[in-house]
């Protein structure tokens, strides 16, 4: 009797040469973590695919959409697992094609992973195709651009038959590219930037600069909602929160109005770099898009960048707002980001911010307040919230030096 399974296809992972098995194991671990709420029986590699089996009927269908969202997954196929008996896999092919209704045309595409099966791929195509033509006499067989392709994959002692196959998010599995710190606001852009860098295999550690105590803490809860929206496909283990409101007020009183935003961002980058060093992260990630707002011109980006020594990644730098919104809708963060919440980005904003800052002016403004003491103060005031994650490991240094910051049970 045929059982329902999910076949996970990958692309970039398959190009990794001698490191391929390492990436495959990380992807399998990601799949297990993302499907923790399902009755997963086994996650194993078979012939260039990852096979996911379930112990409860109907779980494969329910887990299908979650698998599509896991970084590293290029495609997911909802397949029937049968023995090598022609009667079994032909019946599975009829069921798989019937589930694909409505359609007008189809074809069969068979493949053997080895040559120990007596039928060749062409003979399998003909055998299964004949059965399907009898079952669906009103449908056409097209070799090019059919509405549905029925795949028959013979692997070792089993046959996998599927017609439903959908594209996943692709990329690399989370945990395969090291750790980064991301500047996460409750707005539209930074959650998309965080998602995009996670899709390239990075473990993301978000840092949120809150306007508290000058504003309410609403944005902090929205950031938590955004992290939950990523899950279970992308699991963020820890959110850092930096109460930044009082420091912004101090900067606004000490510095020229037009340079406030640059001063804010220099402090934010410096604090993020400190957290990155505690975490062992190798880069900072922001949601900046070139020219979108005053702080994101080339001159202002350069004026902010110089305060840190580690790389700053900007996945959205060449994207326009409509592209970013479309991606936010796709990953499920857009509606959360549209909720009104005052945060540090809207606090003490000048009427006419400088768009083309000169470094001499920036350096002069930087010396108008004790920025080193402010950075130390903010790092000491950092709070954090932990979430379930299979890829995040808390830093030993933070447990030793900042144990009092851990949330109380």
């Amino acid at each position: 009797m045929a059982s329902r399974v999910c076949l996970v296809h990958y692309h970039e992972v398959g190009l990794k040469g001698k490191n391929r098995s390492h990436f495959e194991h990380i992807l399998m671990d990601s799949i297990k973590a993302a499907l923790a709420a399902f009755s997963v029986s086994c996650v194993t590699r078979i012939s260039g695919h990852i096979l996911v089996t379930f112990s409860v009927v109907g779980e494969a269908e329910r887990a299908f959409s979650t698998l599509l969202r896991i970084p590293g997954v290029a495609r997911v196929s909802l397949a029937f697992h049968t023995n090598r008996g022609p009667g079994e896999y032909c019946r599975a092919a009829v069921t798989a094609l019937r589930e694909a209704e409505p359609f007008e045309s189809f074809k069969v595409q068979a493949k053997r992973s080895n040559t120990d099966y007596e039928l060749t791929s062409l003979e399998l195509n003909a055998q299964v195709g004949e059965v399907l033509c009898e079952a669906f006499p009103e449908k056409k067989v097209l070799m090019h651009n059919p509405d549905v392709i029925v795949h028959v994959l013979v692997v070792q002692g089993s046959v996998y038959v599927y017609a439903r196959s959908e594209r996943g998010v692709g990329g690399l599995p989370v945990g395969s590219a090291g750790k980064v710190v991301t500047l996460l606001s409750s707005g539209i852009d930074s959650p998309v930037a965080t998602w995009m860098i996670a899709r390239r295999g990075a473990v993301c550690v978000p840092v949120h600069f809150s306007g508290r105590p000058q504003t309410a803490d609403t944005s902090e809860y929205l950031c938590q909602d955004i992290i939950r929206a990523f899950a279970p496909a992308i699991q963020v283990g820890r959110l850092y929160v930096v109460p930044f409101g009082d420091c912004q007020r101090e900067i606004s009183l000490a510095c020229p109005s037009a340079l406030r935003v640059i001063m804010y961002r220099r402090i934010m980058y410096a604090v993020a770099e400190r957290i990155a060093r505690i975490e062992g992260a190798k880069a900072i990630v922001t949601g900046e898009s070139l020219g979108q707002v005053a702080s994101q011109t080339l001159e202002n980006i350069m004026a902010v960048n110089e305060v840190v020594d580690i790389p700053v990644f900007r996945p959205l730098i060449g994207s326009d707002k409509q592209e970013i919104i479309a991606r936010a809708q796709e990953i499920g963060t857009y509606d959360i980001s549209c909720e009104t919440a005052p945060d540090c980005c809207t606090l003490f904003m000048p009427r006419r911010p400088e768009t083309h800052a000169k470094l001499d002016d920036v350096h002069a403004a930087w010396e108008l307040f004790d920025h080193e003491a402010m950075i130390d103060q903010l790092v000491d005031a950092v709070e954090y919230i932990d979430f379930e994650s299979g890829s995040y490991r808390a830093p030993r240094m933070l447990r030793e030096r900042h144990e009092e910051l851990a949330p109380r049970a």
Side-chain angles (χ1 to χ4, degrees):
M1 181 179 177
S3 59
R4 217 65 191 270
V5 300
C6 289
L7 280 178
V8 174
H9 312 243
Y10 47 80
H11 175 61
E12 286 191 64
V13 170
L15 304 177
K16 291 299 179 182
K18 294 180 180 179
N19 292 324
R20 176 173 169 174
S21 62
H22 171 69
F23 282 84
E24 286 173 339
H25 281 100
I26 295 175
L27 180 55
M28 288 191 286
D29 288 342
S30 294
I31 290 171
K32 292 174 186 175
L35 299 184
F38 297 88
S39 59
V40 175
S41 176
C42 182
V43 178
T44 188
R45 180 187 175 278
I46 59 159
S47 184
H49 301 78
I50 292 175
L51 172 66
V52 185
T53 61
F54 301 84
S55 57
V56 175
V57 174
E59 289 279 76
E61 292 87 341
R62 289 191 285 273
F64 186 81
S65 60
T66 299
L67 285 167
L68 291 171
R69 298 172 56 207
I70 298 174
V73 172
R75 181 169 290 276
V76 181
S77 301
L78 187 59
F80 290 97
H81 175 207
T82 77
N83 294 315
R84 285 189 174 186
E88 282 195 51
Y89 59 72
C90 285
R91 283 193 299 273
V94 171
T95 304
L97 188 55
R98 185 171 290 121
E99 289 181 353
E101 292 278 12
F103 66 93
E104 296 300 326
S105 60
F106 72 93
K107 78 171 184 179
V108 179
Q109 187 168 301
K111 181 181 178 181
R112 302 181 303 170
S113 66
N114 49 49
T115 58
D116 67 343
Y117 191 57
E118 59 270 19
L119 298 181
T120 66
S121 296
L122 290 177
E123 289 170 337
L124 275 168
N125 284 340
Q127 182 189 66
V128 177
E130 182 180 358
V131 173
L132 293 178
C133 286
E134 292 176 358
F136 301 90
E138 73 284 4
K139 307 297 184 182
K140 296 179 181 179
V141 177
L142 291 181
M143 292 297 101
H144 301 286
N145 301 318
D147 296 331
V148 181
I149 300 176
V150 178
H151 295 263
V152 181
L153 178 64
V154 181
V155 180
Q156 298 170 354
S158 301
V159 180
Y160 301 91
V161 180
Y162 60 90
R164 183 181 177 186
S165 185
E166 296 183 19
R167 186 176 179 179
V169 299
L172 295 170
V174 173
S176 63
K179 187 187 284 188
V180 298
V181 161
T182 73
L183 299 184
L184 182 68
S185 74
S186 59
I188 295 171
D189 299 349
S190 60
V192 175
T194 298
W195 181 89
M196 290 181 71
I197 209 73
R199 180 175 170 265
R200 298 308 306 160
V203 174
C204 293
V205 183
V207 178
H208 175 64
F209 286 84
S210 170
R212 178 160 53 92
Q214 299 292 329
T215 69
D217 56 2
T218 312
S219 65
E220 300 170 31
Y221 291 100
L222 292 181
C223 286
Q224 294 179 47
D225 290 342
I226 287 167
I227 288 171
R228 294 186 184 101
F230 290 151
I234 294 175
Q235 298 179 346
V236 171
R238 175 169 290 179
L239 167 67
Y240 287 95
V241 177
V242 183
F244 192 36
D246 285 345
C247 290
Q248 283 185 271
R249 183 176 183 276
E250 181 181 336
I251 292 171
S252 71
L253 294 174
C255 297
S257 172
L259 295 175
R260 282 181 198 168
V261 176
I262 294 175
M263 297 301 109
Y264 298 159
R265 295 193 70 78
R266 284 169 70 98
I267 291 291
M268 291 164 68
Y269 275 45
V271 172
E273 184 180 41
R274 293 275 194 95
I275 294 173
R277 296 200 186 286
I278 291 171
E279 281 281 350
K282 305 303 181 186
I284 296 170
V285 179
T286 80
E288 293 166 310
S289 172
L290 187 62
Q292 185 174 179
V293 296
S295 66
Q296 296 173 17
T297 62
L298 284 176
E299 292 88 346
N300 289 1
I301 286 174
M302 183 173 68
V304 174
N305 250 31
E306 70 165 6
V307 80
V308 297
D309 295 323
I310 64 175
V312 180
F313 297 153
R314 297 175 172 87
L316 307 181
I317 196 68
S319 301
D320 64 33
K321 196 65 176 184
Q322 293 308 308
E323 292 170 332
I324 298 169
I325 287 172
R327 178 69 81 177
Q329 291 170 332
E330 179 186 332
I331 66 177
T333 60
Y334 178 73
D335 289 340
I336 301 169
S337 297
C338 286
E339 295 187 35
T340 303
D343 63 8
C344 73
C345 296
T346 58
L347 189 61
F348 301 116
M349 291 294 290
R351 290 186 178 181
R352 293 183 178 86
E354 178 62 67
T355 56
H356 302 286
K358 296 178 174 59
L359 284 179
D360 287 345
D361 295 337
V362 170
H363 295 159
W366 190 239
E367 298 302 325
L368 292 175
F369 63 102
D370 191 345
H371 50 266
E372 287 297 335
M374 183 177 291
I375 293 165
D376 289 339
Q377 172 190 337
L378 289 171
V379 172
D380 288 340
V382 164
E383 305 162 7
Y384 64 79
I385 303 158
D386 284 338
F387 301 84
E388 289 293 329
S389 172
S391 56
Y392 174 78
R393 298 291 180 272
R396 184 181 302 276
M397 184 186 299
L398 189 71
R399 290 198 299 268
E400 292 174 353
R401 292 177 53 194
H402 300 273
E403 186 176 355
E404 72 280 1
L405 303 181
R408 295 176 182 175

